[in-house]
Amino acid sequence: GKDTDVVEDQKYRDIPGDDSFMADLSDDWRVDPESHEYLKDCEEGTKGYAHCDVAIAHWVKKNNPDIEVDIIGPSDLNLRRLKKNIANFSLGFNAVNLLVVAKDPSTEKSLAALQKCGNIVPDWGYEEYILTKSNYMKACINAGVPMAPTIFSCSPDRSPEKLLSDIKERGWKSFVMKQSCSGFSLGFLKLKVEDCEKDPSILKNYFEEYASCPEYVVQETVEGFTRNWETRCFWFKGEFLYAIANMAAVSTEDGAERIISGDDIPAEFLENAKRIGAEAIKCLPNMKASNGEDISSILVRTDIGCSDGEINDKDYNWKTGEKTFFLNEIEPSSTTYFVRHLKFDCLPMYGKLYSDSIREILSKVEDSKPKAKAKGKGKAKAKAKAASKSKAKAKAKGKAKAKGKAKAKGKAAAKVKGKIMKKPANK
């Protein structure tokens, strides 16, 4: 959520990070830290702070006069609005928000707009591939990427009885329940096989409460997961950017989650996270522009866990007491960026990367448009100059070429609209 990735904050400034460019940002897009609502939805006089999705959008706007940036709030999301633009980047708000939040009359229309507009980035096919976790998880397993023992419990052919039978057949003693097409830890549950055998209603109630979820991701509990660092690697265009590592609050002395970055991350954890993450992102499909052409991938995050405890799955041979690193999850560009926890100011980096992506998409979309009319016009101009003397002809040709380039550049600048979608501040 982008109500936890604040930029206008002393911790960010101490990096040092420079948020002075945010001075002219409309207060509408700042977030009240108490209600987690945009200031435009709060009482007059409420003070708020901008988060990284809005900050990146504003950086692009301030540093790229050829790119028009408009922050689209959830209530503004519709097919007509999205269709007006070359590209609509998901930096905070995506389909997960529509699938898991309380539904309102606009939810179905908003979801349909994302599915049909054809120009969201990541594209809908890519977004759906990651939303349904079994897609990338099965691809990673087949590619030899290490992963915790996993069972996919999919509707309509699932039942509490069948799931428990499958778990027992694998030899598990405890397990966790997760969900596809979900977020914010919704539906996460840690259970013991023994308890579920004694009280069948535990799983039965879960199946009833989350009947609408198309897929449960069920994994054997990795006991070492919470006492070791989970290392999250950030990738853009397939290249490693940086990593952060966090340790769960239940494993720290003061009961607070710990987050580290840079050279504070133990080398063993960082290098294994980069190694596994690099293999995992190879299993993802190519991102597409609105014309179907492949484009360079924007931000992807790989979360790598570490096991050093007992694994009981009959098909696994992870050794107790030895560290085994594995892929826990892949997150798309709407994930948390951890801007305040880094040792460098990442906003200029992201601003430049997204600006480059906007121009790449524009170039591919413009290049795919029919050019017969433009060629005919150029031919006519050439003919008109044919009677000129050799020197004059060359001069005229050079002039026409320069004029043509300037005209094309002007047209491109007028058409570039990089739209950044904002996640609801209270989600």
Side-chain angles (χ1 to χ4, degrees), residues 265-280:
I265 301 174
E268 182 182 14
F269 284 80
L270 179 59
E271 293 309 313
N272 279 286
K274 289 169 67 175
R275 173 181 60 83
I276 294 171
E279 292 303 310

Side-chain angles (χ1 to χ4, degrees), residues 106-335:
S106 66
T107 297
E108 287 188 14
K109 284 187 177 181
S110 297
L111 188 58
L114 293 177
Q115 293 170 329
K116 295 177 182 178
C117 70
N119 61 354
I120 58 169
V121 187
D123 60 276
W124 180 253
Y126 187 99
E127 184 92 348
E128 194 172 36
Y129 188 88
I130 290 184
L131 277 174
T132 304
K133 297 181 189 297
S134 61
N135 288 330
Y136 72 78
M137 293 178 80
K138 287 178 180 178
C140 285
I141 290 169
N142 291 336
V145 176
M147 196 172 296
T150 304
I151 295 171
F152 300 105
S153 182
C154 306
S155 63
D157 302 318
R158 68 184 178 198
S159 69
E161 296 78 16
K162 182 179 186 308
L163 176 58
L164 188 58
S165 175
D166 290 343
I167 288 170
K168 290 167 65 178
E169 195 273 331
R170 295 281 291 269
W172 302 357
K173 294 180 180 178
S174 63
F175 59 97
V176 294
M177 302 281 292
K178 306 178 185 178
Q179 297 183 1
S180 280
C181 303
S182 186
F184 320 115
S185 299
L186 182 70
F188 181 88
L189 192 62
K190 182 178 177 181
L191 298 168
K192 291 183 178 179
V193 172
E194 183 182 7
D195 293 340
C196 293
E197 286 180 311
K198 290 178 181 178
D199 184 2
S201 69
I202 296 173
L203 278 179
K204 183 181 177 182
N205 291 340
Y206 187 96
F207 273 61
E208 289 176 354
E209 183 176 359
Y210 299 109
S212 61
C213 177
E215 176 179 88
Y216 306 145
V217 178
V218 189
Q219 295 182 308
E220 182 177 2
T221 302
V222 178
E223 294 297 344
F225 184 79
T226 55
R227 64 174 168 262
N228 285 300
W229 296 106
E230 181 179 15
T231 310
R232 306 170 192 267
C233 294
F234 294 75
W235 310 82
F236 208 107
K237 296 184 178 181
E239 299 294 326
F240 174 77
L241 296 181
Y242 62 87
I244 70 97
N246 69 295
M247 188 174 290
V250 295
S251 301
T252 60
E253 291 182 7
D254 58 1
E257 181 186 30
R258 287 180 62 197
I259 300 174
I260 57 175
S261 65
D263 55 9
D264 289 338
I265 301 174
E268 182 182 14
F269 284 80
L270 179 59
E271 293 309 313
N272 279 286
K274 289 169 67 175
R275 173 181 60 83
I276 294 171
E279 292 303 310
I281 62 174
K282 292 177 184 176
C283 299
L284 298 174
N286 293 331
M287 291 187 188
K288 305 283 185 183
S290 58
N291 61 355
E293 282 200 46
D294 289 348
I295 58 171
S296 303
S297 64
I298 60 169
L299 186 75
V300 179
R301 195 184 87 192
T302 54
D303 297 351
I304 310 301
C306 177
S307 169
D308 58 10
E310 184 180 19
I311 292 292
N312 296 290
D313 190 282
K314 65 182 181 64
D315 298 322
Y316 277 61
N317 59 359
W318 294 2
K319 294 181 180 179
T320 303
E322 292 186 10
K323 291 186 178 69
T324 300
F325 295 88
F326 62 95
L327 176 70
N328 184 42
E329 203 163 35
I330 296 179
E331 295 274 0
S333 57
S334 50
T335 190

Side-chain angles (χ1 to χ4, degrees), residues 68 70 72 78-88 117-120 290 415-420:
E68 182 184 342
D70 181 23
I72 304 177
N78 59 65
L79 187 59
R80 184 178 177 185
R81 178 78 172 266
L82 297 177
K83 281 282 192 181
K84 285 181 179 179
N85 313 314
I86 294 294
N88 301 280
C117 70
N119 61 354
I120 58 169
S290 58
K415 285 199 171 185
V416 177
K417 281 192 176 183
K419 299 288 183 174
I420 314 292

Side-chain angles (χ1 to χ4, degrees), residues 12-28:
Y12 169 74
R13 296 177 189 125
D14 289 343
I15 290 173
D18 182 8
D19 63 346
S20 62
F21 72 94
M22 303 288 289
D24 59 349
L25 174 74
S26 168
D27 271 349
D28 285 355

